[in-house]
Amino acid sequence: MSTLLELKSSVLRQVQRSQSLRSRREPPPPVAAGNTAVAAPLGRPRVSDRAVTGVAKRNGEFFERMNKIIQKQESLQAGTRAEEEILAGPPPPERTDQGFIPEKTTRDELDLLYEEAVYTVVNRVGVPSPEYVSSEEDLFDYLQKAFDMGQEEHDIILRKVKEAKRASFSLRVSVMKGKNLMAKDSNGYSDPYCMLGILMGQNSRDTEERKERKFSFRKRKEKLEKRSSVKEVLAARDIQVTDVKPETLNPVWNEHFVFDIDDVQNDLLHLDIWDHDDDVSVAEACRKLNEISGLRGMGRYFKQIAKSVRSNGSAASGSEENADDFLGCLNIPLSEVPVVGYDKWFKLEPRSSASRVQGECHLILRLFTTQRDTTLTKTVSNVVIHQKMLSRILDYEHSHVQKEPYNWNGQVSPAAWTILSHHAVQADLSPLQQAIIRWHSYSSHHCAQRLCYSLLIRLLRAVGTEWETGGDRRELESVLLSESFKLYCDFCLSLMKGMRQIFPCTHPAATTRCELMLRTIGQIQSMQAFKDVCPNRNELHLEIATVIKKGTVEWYEATISHFKPDEGTLEEQLERLVLVVDAVCVDVQRGLNVYNKLFHSSVKVDFFSISYRQLEKLVADDVSVAMERVCGTLEQEDSQLSQTMGETLFELFMSLKTLKRFREFLPLKDTKMLALTGFHNWFKSSIHKWLQIVHEKSVERIRRAVETDQLEPVHKQAKHSSSAVDLTTCFSQVREFWAQLSWPDSAGAFIFITRLTDNFCSEAVSYAELLKRKVERSQLGGDHRSFTVQLCVALNDAEHVRLYLTGLPRELSWRAVQQAMEESCGAEGKEQVNKALNGQLYNADLDLQREVKRLITLLTDKMLPELRRCIQHIGLSPDTINNDDAVSPLMKYLETTLVILSESLVKENLSRVLLSLWELLLRMILDSVAENRGVQVEFYTRFQYTIEKLVRFFNANGEGLLLEDLKSGDYKALDEELRLNKCSSFELIEQYFLEKISQQRILKHSRFGRISVKCYYDAPEQRLTVEILHAADLIALDANGLSDPFVILELCPHHLFPNSRSQRTQVKLKTLHPVFDEVFYFHVSPEQYRHRCACITFTVMDYDWLSTNDFAGEAVSPLSDFCWPGRPSATPAGKNLQPVILHLSRQKPSEKPIMRMLEARAGDREAQEFVRRLKEIEKSMEEE
């Protein structure tokens, strides 16, 4: 019990006051104009609007506002925002800090870059592809625009370039692999190797002749000796040989060579493929000559190589049959090499028409410059030059993008692409270097002017691919890549910090850019290049989590600064605080629905958990301080909670509940010890006052609903009126208010639910009383039918409300409260809940039924005059009229009334009204019969017929009232009354003794004493022997506290025993326990004892000398108990049976209906004699 008392007191205990609102740090200055914009949450006007609106006077508006609060919370939970629209147009700007914007290039730097670009154009080599710009003038025109260069300055720089030394070119050849080569060895394979070199340029005619002759590095002896021309010469230093790949027709060499080029326009690349057979081959001779010559730059003719091969080969093998076999050759004019080079399979060619060759060779060819006479190349690496040139071109190209410049895919104009491609080729930039430069330039440019993130992703993938293929990694490239990674990551972290403004969820384009931005960070995280060049930044996900926290705090502080919940009155502060919490709920919902998915899928960071825990703590701190002030105010004497304050507190509670509900989406380990875990405790004291406000508004709403009710059914299917609908709607709304509170402390909710239940019950009873008074006022005017219909509607209204109350245990979750109280307080707690709540509901049901009965009484009272007239018509109808005609007026009236009742009442109320009407008819008929005792039998027969017809009418073949309900109570009394009144006097007397026998059988104890007798019957002699043994515990009837008892024995009723006389015992003086021991004999024939009413009576009297004897009690015993054949007492052994104990009774004869019926028969001598004798006994009892 102490636990229960503590529970109650804890709910009512006031929350102690603490310090006022905590000091708040100043919010950081906004980064951009849109950063501090916070959308007002849905469903509640701003504070200024509320001040204009004022407090609504109509109570319906109170419930309407409360419903809007609930609807607002539901929309918050569903993630829908009615006032938000999907924004179109460009997304918000993404600039966060000027430190991320690259420094602008100076004019002097631009001039040097321009010189480099002009030099590149002038020294172009290679065959341009169709997308290239081939016109030099067009390229110069583009450069002037891109570098903002005037014509005069251009002419000066162009002249300088043309006067400078032309660029020196080299050819990089990568011999990758061959396939489907000719098999030269007996095992079906070959041992292929390649010899390659540059054939120095001649005029065009010689070049064509060389192509036709299919020059080969190895000729037979006789052909070499016959050729005296020195035109086909090859420097020994330019002859290169690959390794021999044994026993294969699909060799893989993957070897790389570089050749200096004297004449790009006329030189050719020549390549032979041989099958290695002899011990000393051309390849070996070539290597040895190159090793021993030491004459770098001096020509070595092919003739010398061939001689060396022959001489060495003869020494080794002694036979020319072991010479290497020719597999094919290639002749590739350098003038036909594209700008970006070759990367293709070349089909092998024969050296003459007699040669048989097959197969292909995969070569990669690239031309590049080895010496450039420009100012920049003397001080800056080609990588840096290309990066600066690309950055300048990007600035120019992007500035001329008209459509969605924020989504530019980085594609430059053909002129720009031509210049950049030529410069990359001439600068001998590897694919890795080019990928790094493009990533660096585009990512840096993105920090100043937005690009399409898909472009950045593609650039990152290119860097990753080239890095993982093992390209040449130099320190400069690593430093450049590291700087670009750091700059871009820091830039994206700054965007994440302000992502709510930069990437708003309401802007699809911004959301898409956010996703792509995060994917770039995720791509960087997973790249081996990032891990290699930024080894100290391997925990990028922690940095992301940190900026999410900082961004969340800054956003919250901006929201606080926007709504200013510290200003104004306490009520205004709470209203502003509601706006803050709602804004947080919206932000959390967005984080869950949008941002969390983006962060988790791209960078594996739980955005929702980080931001929610941060916001939840901040909100809890601010609200707890505000609620301390509220509780302190409510603690003051005479403090009342205003309606507006109550609505605001309810809304604040709902907003906090919505915010707390988001914890369901946290990982299980993060749900412990959250700041809002017990926030409901802040509202305990205010909830009580809020419930009082709700009760007052409900009562007023009910009163208005009854006043405006016309007591007409709302529609055909429903037979209740508008006030019942309004009342149950009001109850449902209040129940929904409570359900929305979702009070988490089920044991603590017991008091609140008790309060709610009491409010519902009292409001329902009050409603029924208001209905009754309204109906009573309305009966003063209008016809009978209209009043009956109104009464029926009122009855239906009361029943509608009563049925709603029966669902309160389910609606208010009583079972949960019972279980909680049982867990906290044991069985006693559960019993207290059951007793309190069920008691309230039971009492309310009784009160409602009482009001329903009063309404039914109004209805039946209105019918009473017509019913009385019909009953009188039945009773006064002459015997010549048959029963149907006598009952017809009553039945017609009832049928007409039943039609109205059936149309207007619901089934439950129809049964109640019909039962009440039935009971009224029974009482009226019973009264009529009682007023007409002693009349002719036909009178009672007619009413008996009336009752039978009414039973059939009200039962309606089982569809109306149940027969069990019809034939109970007054029906039994009336049926008995009519039956007895139709009996003769002898029959009534017999019925009288039958009742006495029945009463004697059930009498097991009596305060009037008892008598011990023994009765047995001698059948042959037809003699009944009665032994009066003794009596005990008789009542004292004399002044001395004793009595002088004696017993009178009679066979009854007298008309069955006309020749029998009463007999009596001796008087036993001054005793209450007399012993008689006397024997008496009566003649009883079988015809006499077979009557059910035949009995022997034992009347105990007190003998008085000076006055009449006093009645002490009587007992009766049926003769069938002693005389019936087969009874033990009807045999010779009957005298040996145990005596019978009979308990005495003292009933007044006048209390019995039969007595009144007999007394009413004044002309019946037997009846009057019987009544006279009974009255003497009753008189003696009264004198006593």
Side-chain angles (χ1 to χ4, degrees):
M1 181 60 72
S2 62
T3 306
L4 294 174
L5 294 176
E6 290 173 3
L7 176 63
K8 290 183 178 180
S9 62
S10 66
V11 177
L12 300 174
R13 191 181 302 122
Q14 301 296 331
V15 180
Q16 297 183 355
R17 285 184 74 181
S18 62
Q19 298 178 355
S20 60
L21 280 172
R22 61 179 173 86
S23 59
R24 191 187 312 279
R25 61 183 179 277
E26 291 297 326
V31 177
N35 286 7
T36 57
V38 181
L42 175 67
R44 189 177 183 91
R46 295 183 184 271
V47 177
S48 59
D49 297 333
R50 286 292 294 267
V52 175
T53 304
V55 179
K57 296 181 179 180
R58 299 181 62 187
N59 295 282
E61 295 183 5
F62 168 78
F63 291 93
E64 184 177 341
R65 285 195 300 274
M66 299 294 286
N67 284 331
K68 287 183 177 179
I69 293 173
I70 295 175
Q71 292 171 4
K72 181 198 70 174
Q73 300 304 322
E74 291 176 348
S75 74
L76 288 177
Q77 295 174 19
T80 57
R81 302 283 291 157
E83 91 282 8
E84 293 182 351
E85 296 180 358
I86 300 300
L87 302 178
E94 297 177 11
R95 294 181 182 177
T96 59
D97 193 341
Q98 294 295 326
F100 294 108
I101 301 177
E103 296 181 359
K104 291 185 177 181
T105 307
T106 64
R107 186 69 253 180
D108 293 339
E109 292 174 337
L110 283 178
D111 292 342
L112 295 176
L113 280 176
Y114 189 77
E115 176 191 357
E116 185 72 24
V118 171
Y119 190 90
T120 301
V121 173
V122 171
N123 291 276
R124 285 172 297 158
V125 294
V127 179
S129 58
E131 65 268 16
Y132 283 14
V133 176
S134 58
S135 172
E136 189 175 87
E137 291 301 324
D138 292 342
L139 295 176
F140 286 152
D141 183 61
Y142 173 79
L143 285 175
Q144 285 183 258
K145 295 176 182 178
F147 287 83
D148 192 20
M149 190 66 62
Q151 185 62 40
E152 183 178 353
E153 290 85 353
H154 167 73
D155 294 339
I156 294 173
I157 294 175
L158 178 59
R159 186 165 50 254
K160 178 182 177 182
V161 169
K162 289 184 177 180
E163 292 174 355
K165 184 180 179 181
R166 291 189 64 83
S168 299
F169 287 90
S170 296
L171 177 68
R172 177 175 285 105
V173 181
S174 298
V175 183
M176 304 305 294
K177 58 183 75 173
K179 63 179 179 181
N180 301 327
L181 300 183
M182 184 73 72
K184 294 293 185 178
D185 297 339
S186 59
N187 59 5
Y189 293 98
S190 295
D191 304 321
Y193 66 93
C194 298
M195 288 187 67
L196 62 158
I198 301 297
L199 292 180
M200 290 184 292
Q202 303 292 326
N203 57 40
S204 58
R205 189 173 65 86
D206 293 339
T207 302
E208 292 299 324
E209 291 176 357
R210 188 182 305 124
K211 281 187 176 182
E212 293 296 327
R213 290 196 301 269
K214 304 294 183 183
F215 174 84
S216 175
F217 284 115
R218 184 170 181 175
K219 301 291 186 180
R220 292 186 183 276
K221 172 182 177 182
E222 53 273 15
K223 290 185 177 181
L224 288 172
E225 290 176 348
K226 291 178 180 179
R227 184 169 300 161
S228 59
S229 174
V230 294
K231 292 181 179 179
E232 295 179 352
V233 293
L234 188 69
R237 64 189 177 95
D238 290 333
I239 300 174
Q240 301 290 342
V241 183
T242 65
D243 292 335
V244 176
K245 299 300 178 181
E247 298 182 357
T248 179
L249 301 179
N250 299 289
V252 177
W253 290 290
N254 196 17
E255 297 185 35
H256 311 280
F257 310 95
V258 176
F259 300 96
D260 293 335
I261 306 300
D262 293 331
D263 188 353
V264 178
Q265 299 302 323
N266 297 313
D267 288 352
L268 284 85
L269 171 68
H270 180 81
L271 179 142
D272 281 349
I273 300 180
W274 299 85
D275 170 41
H276 178 72
D277 286 331
D278 52 353
D279 295 333
V280 181
S281 65
V282 172
E284 191 65 26
C286 181
R287 289 195 181 97
K288 288 183 177 180
L289 284 174
N290 281 320
E291 289 173 2
I292 65 174
S293 71
L295 301 175
R296 300 189 62 181
M298 187 173 290
R300 296 295 189 190
Y301 298 114
F302 184 79
K303 181 178 180 180
Q304 293 173 311
I305 299 173
K307 289 179 179 180
S308 175
V309 171
R310 285 196 298 272
S311 62
N312 291 335
S314 299
S317 60
S319 174
E320 207 165 314
E321 295 298 327
N322 292 328
D324 294 349
D325 294 318
F326 180 75
L327 296 179
C329 67
L330 293 173
N331 287 293
I332 304 173
L334 299 188
S335 61
E336 296 179 2
V337 177
V339 175
V340 295
Y342 274 135
D343 184 354
K344 60 180 289 189
W345 288 88
F346 293 88
K347 186 176 181 181
L348 295 178
E349 302 172 355
R351 61 187 175 187
S352 67
S353 59
S355 301
R356 240 179 104 249
V357 298
Q358 69 177 36
E360 296 177 282
C361 183
H362 181 200
L363 299 179
I364 299 177
L365 308 179
R366 283 175 60 89
L367 286 168
F368 62 94
T369 58
T370 55
Q371 184 176 354
R372 297 171 63 84
D373 190 11
T374 63
T375 304
L376 276 179
T377 53
K378 298 174 182 178
T379 58
V380 183
S381 70
N382 288 332
V383 172
V384 176
I385 293 173
H386 192 76
Q387 182 265 323
K388 290 182 178 293
M389 186 181 298
L390 176 57
S391 297
R392 178 60 187 177
I393 290 176
L394 289 180
D395 291 339
Y396 173 76
E397 291 282 336
H398 201 175
S399 64
H400 287 75
V401 175
Q402 299 297 326
K403 184 179 180 181
E404 296 184 354
Y406 61 88
N407 210 25
W408 184 43
N409 61 2
Q411 184 175 358
V412 296
S413 63
W417 179 247
T418 301
I419 295 169
L420 290 172
S421 298
H422 277 287
H423 186 269
V425 170
Q426 295 177 22
D428 192 24
L429 298 179
S430 66
L432 174 61
Q433 290 173 326
Q434 293 185 52
I436 292 174
I437 291 171
R438 284 195 295 270
W439 159 250
H440 185 281
S441 299
Y442 277 97
S443 62
S444 299
H445 178 80
H446 174 72
C447 295
Q449 196 171 358
R450 293 180 292 178
L451 296 172
C452 176
Y453 281 102
S454 298
L455 167 66
L456 299 178
I457 293 175
R458 291 197 300 270
L459 295 175
L460 283 171
R461 289 174 180 169
V463 172
T465 301
E466 295 298 333
W467 189 275
E468 292 176 0
T469 56
D472 186 17
R473 306 173 188 173
R474 301 173 185 174
E475 183 178 355
L476 177 60
E477 287 81 353
S478 297
V479 172
L480 195 65
L481 189 58
S482 175
E483 291 177 354
S484 65
F485 279 153
K486 181 180 183 303
L487 177 66
Y488 183 76
C489 288
D490 291 342
F491 175 74
C492 290
L493 289 174
S494 67
L495 295 182
M496 295 179 201
K497 187 177 179 182
M499 64 181 304
R500 292 172 175 84
Q501 295 78 34
I502 298 173
F503 304 114
C505 294
T506 54
H507 202 302
T511 305
T512 302
R513 290 185 63 82
C514 178
E515 179 182 9
L516 294 174
M517 181 269 290
L518 292 173
R519 285 175 58 186
T520 61
I521 295 298
Q523 182 76 23
I524 291 174
Q525 275 184 303
S526 62
M527 291 174 62
Q528 185 62 41
F530 177 72
K531 299 174 183 177
D532 292 340
V533 301
C534 299
N536 297 326
R537 208 162 182 177
N538 55 3
E539 294 184 344
L540 193 56
H541 63 285
L542 297 181
E543 298 182 41
I544 296 174
T546 301
V547 297
I548 291 175
K549 290 181 181 178
K550 291 181 180 179
T552 300
V553 172
E554 290 183 5
W555 176 86
Y556 182 78
E557 293 296 343
T559 304
I560 291 294
S561 177
H562 177 76
F563 290 115
K564 299 179 176 58
D566 295 339
E567 299 179 2
T569 63
L570 179 59
E571 184 174 323
E572 292 174 342
Q573 291 179 10
L574 289 176
E575 291 176 354
R576 292 187 171 102
L577 200 55
V578 168
L579 298 176
V580 172
V581 179
D582 287 347
V584 170
C585 290
V586 172
D587 184 76
V588 171
Q589 185 72 60
R590 291 171 176 172
L592 177 64
N593 293 345
V594 181
Y595 295 133
N596 192 59
K597 297 177 181 177
L598 302 182
F599 274 82
H600 188 269
S601 62
S602 300
V603 293
K604 301 299 183 290
V605 172
D606 191 348
F607 176 90
F608 171 75
S609 296
I610 297 171
S611 62
Y612 176 75
R613 292 179 66 85
Q614 199 78 19
L615 289 171
E616 192 253 6
K617 177 65 168 59
L618 293 170
V619 169
D621 291 344
D622 287 345
V623 175
S624 63
V625 173
M627 288 307 300
E628 287 176 0
R629 294 185 58 190
V630 171
C631 294
T633 302
L634 294 178
E635 285 179 357
Q636 299 175 3
E637 295 182 1
D638 302 330
S639 66
Q640 292 184 353
L641 188 67
S642 66
Q643 175 181 329
T644 308
M645 177 72 86
E647 294 173 8
T648 305
L649 287 173
F650 176 77
E651 186 172 7
L652 180 59
F653 184 96
M654 293 298 299
S655 297
L656 291 174
K657 190 196 75 167
T658 300
L659 181 59
K660 179 183 176 183
R661 189 169 294 175
F662 284 106
R663 68 173 55 194
E664 299 172 1
F665 303 98
L666 289 174
L668 186 60
K669 59 183 179 62
D670 290 343
T671 58
K672 299 179 180 178
M673 301 305 294
L674 289 175
L676 287 177
T677 298
F679 83 91
H680 62 281
N681 293 314
W682 306 337
F683 294 83
K684 276 187 177 180
S685 58
S686 58
I687 289 295
H688 284 283
K689 295 183 179 293
W690 177 79
L691 288 177
Q692 181 60 32
I693 292 175
V694 173
H695 174 61
E696 293 171 357
K697 296 301 175 184
S698 299
V699 171
E700 183 62 22
R701 178 175 174 178
I702 293 169
R703 183 188 63 77
R704 289 179 54 253
V706 174
E707 288 178 356
T708 58
D709 193 358
Q710 300 299 320
L711 292 180
E712 297 176 354
V714 289
H715 51 79
K716 294 182 179 180
Q717 286 73 23
K719 297 182 179 181
H720 51 269
S721 66
S722 59
S723 61
V725 175
D726 200 2
L727 177 63
T728 54
T729 302
C730 176
F731 285 174
S732 297
Q733 289 174 339
V734 175
R735 192 257 320 151
E736 181 64 19
F737 298 159
W738 171 252
Q740 288 295 328
L741 288 177
S742 299
W743 198 260
D745 179 13
S746 297
F750 165 54
I751 295 178
F752 293 136
I753 291 180
T754 304
R755 175 76 175 275
L756 278 174
T757 304
D758 183 66
N759 289 348
F760 284 153
C761 293
S762 63
E763 289 160 10
V765 174
S766 174
Y767 170 71
E769 293 173 349
L770 290 172
L771 276 179
K772 183 177 72 66
R773 286 198 288 269
K774 184 179 182 68
V775 171
E776 289 174 345
R777 291 193 300 268
S778 66
Q779 71 177 334
L780 300 178
D783 59 349
H784 174 71
R785 180 183 177 86
S786 299
F787 175 73
T788 302
V789 172
Q790 288 185 344
L791 257 175
C792 292
V793 172
L795 283 170
N796 295 337
D797 291 341
E799 177 63 17
H800 186 70
V801 174
R802 191 189 71 83
L803 289 178
Y804 184 91
L805 290 184
T806 58
L808 282 183
R810 181 187 68 259
E811 298 288 345
L812 296 180
S813 301
W814 286 9
R815 180 172 297 180
V817 177
Q818 292 171 352
Q819 292 175 352
M821 290 293 288
E822 185 177 17
E823 292 174 0
S824 60
C825 306
E828 183 182 359
K830 180 179 180 181
E831 180 61 27
Q832 183 173 359
V833 173
N834 291 332
K835 184 178 180 180
L837 298 180
N838 289 318
Q840 288 177 329
L841 209 57
Y842 176 76
N843 292 331
D845 190 73
L846 289 179
D847 292 339
L848 284 175
Q849 291 188 32
R850 182 190 67 241
E851 297 302 323
V852 167
K853 288 180 179 179
R854 290 176 178 176
L855 288 172
I856 294 176
T857 301
L858 287 176
L859 179 61
T860 54
D861 287 349
K862 205 71 173 177
M863 301 168 61
L864 194 58
E866 187 64 23
L867 291 176
R868 186 177 290 114
R869 187 185 65 80
C870 293
I871 296 298
Q872 289 176 353
H873 179 271
I874 296 172
L876 298 177
S877 295
D879 297 341
T880 57
I881 298 178
N882 60 42
N883 292 335
D884 286 333
D885 293 338
V887 179
S888 178
L890 175 63
M891 300 310 296
K892 287 182 179 180
Y893 176 75
L894 290 178
E895 289 173 357
T896 303
T897 304
L898 182 60
V899 170
I900 300 175
L901 295 179
S902 300
E903 293 176 350
S904 305
L905 290 173
V906 297
K907 184 177 180 179
E908 294 79 4
N909 281 333
L910 179 62
S911 299
R912 292 191 185 101
V913 172
L914 291 179
L915 186 61
S916 179
L917 183 60
W918 167 250
E919 292 173 351
L920 175 63
L921 287 170
L922 289 178
R923 289 194 299 271
M924 294 178 68
I925 295 175
L926 191 60
D927 293 342
S928 179
V929 172
E931 293 172 358
N932 294 278
R933 287 194 177 98
V935 297
Q936 295 179 356
V937 175
E938 289 76 8
F939 176 85
Y940 305 108
T941 303
R942 179 164 290 172
F943 273 111
Q944 184 70 44
Y945 176 82
T946 301
I947 290 298
E948 293 174 357
K949 194 160 187 176
L950 287 175
V951 168
R952 290 193 297 272
F953 173 81
F954 282 101
N955 179 250
N957 297 322
E959 296 182 1
L961 299 179
L962 298 176
L963 290 176
E964 293 81 359
D965 296 333
L966 291 171
K967 296 184 178 181
S968 62
D970 290 343
Y971 172 84
K972 292 182 178 180
L974 177 59
D975 184 68
E976 182 71 8
E977 180 85 8
L978 292 174
R979 185 183 66 80
L980 294 177
N981 275 295
K982 291 191 296 181
C983 294
S984 64
S985 297
F986 287 156
E987 290 173 338
L988 288 178
I989 294 172
E990 291 176 1
Q991 182 65 31
Y992 175 84
F993 283 105
L994 284 175
E995 291 178 2
K996 290 185 68 70
I997 292 171
S998 176
Q999 293 171 358
Q1000 186 68 51
R1001 291 185 186 280
I1002 63 176
L1003 187 62
K1004 303 300 181 183
H1005 177 74
S1006 174
R1007 64 186 182 89
F1008 303 111
R1010 57 191 178 278
I1011 184 172
S1012 177
V1013 300
K1014 183 185 294 186
C1015 301
Y1016 42 92
Y1017 181 67
D1018 185 356
E1021 297 293 332
Q1022 297 184 355
R1023 183 178 63 189
L1024 174 66
T1025 303
V1026 180
E1027 296 183 13
I1028 305 297
L1029 302 178
H1030 59 82
D1033 298 328
L1034 301 178
I1035 58 175
L1037 296 176
D1038 293 339
N1040 57 8
L1042 299 173
S1043 293
D1044 303 321
F1046 66 94
V1047 180
I1048 300 175
L1049 292 82
E1050 291 181 290
L1051 294 177
C1052 296
H1054 292 161
H1055 63 270
L1056 293 181
F1057 302 96
N1059 300 320
S1060 177
R1061 297 289 181 265
S1062 63
Q1063 302 184 53
R1064 55 186 294 178
T1065 65
Q1066 296 180 0
V1067 177
K1068 303 296 180 179
L1069 300 176
K1070 300 179 180 180
T1071 180
L1072 300 179
H1073 308 281
V1075 176
F1076 298 103
D1077 286 334
E1078 298 184 36
V1079 180
F1080 303 92
Y1081 301 98
F1082 295 92
H1083 181 269
V1084 179
S1085 67
E1087 292 79 7
Q1088 291 175 321
Y1089 71 68
R1090 287 194 180 99
H1091 281 277
R1092 291 186 307 136
C1093 60
C1095 61
I1096 181 171
T1097 61
F1098 302 94
T1099 304
V1100 180
M1101 304 291 293
D1102 172 47
Y1103 178 76
D1104 285 333
W1105 296 92
L1106 301 177
S1107 62
T1108 59
N1109 299 326
D1110 297 325
F1111 177 69
E1114 67 177 349
V1116 61
S1117 181
L1119 295 183
S1120 60
D1121 288 352
F1122 315 115
C1123 306
W1124 204 265
R1127 302 281 188 185
S1129 57
T1131 62
K1135 62 176 64 180
N1136 299 323
L1137 293 175
Q1138 293 294 324
V1140 177
I1141 304 297
L1142 298 175
H1143 293 277
L1144 302 178
S1145 64
R1146 283 168 53 90
Q1147 292 183 349
K1148 290 184 178 182
S1150 61
E1151 294 177 353
K1152 294 182 176 297
I1154 293 176
M1155 178 72 173
R1156 295 192 294 271
M1157 294 178 189
L1158 291 173
E1159 187 177 6
R1161 299 181 179 184
D1164 191 331
R1165 187 175 61 83
E1166 293 293 337
Q1168 295 301 316
E1169 179 63 20
F1170 183 77
V1171 170
R1172 183 189 62 78
R1173 295 179 58 189
L1174 293 180
K1175 281 188 174 183
E1176 289 179 357
I1177 294 176
E1178 185 172 353
K1179 182 179 180 181
S1180 67
M1181 293 172 62
E1182 292 175 354
E1183 291 176 354
E1184 223 174 89

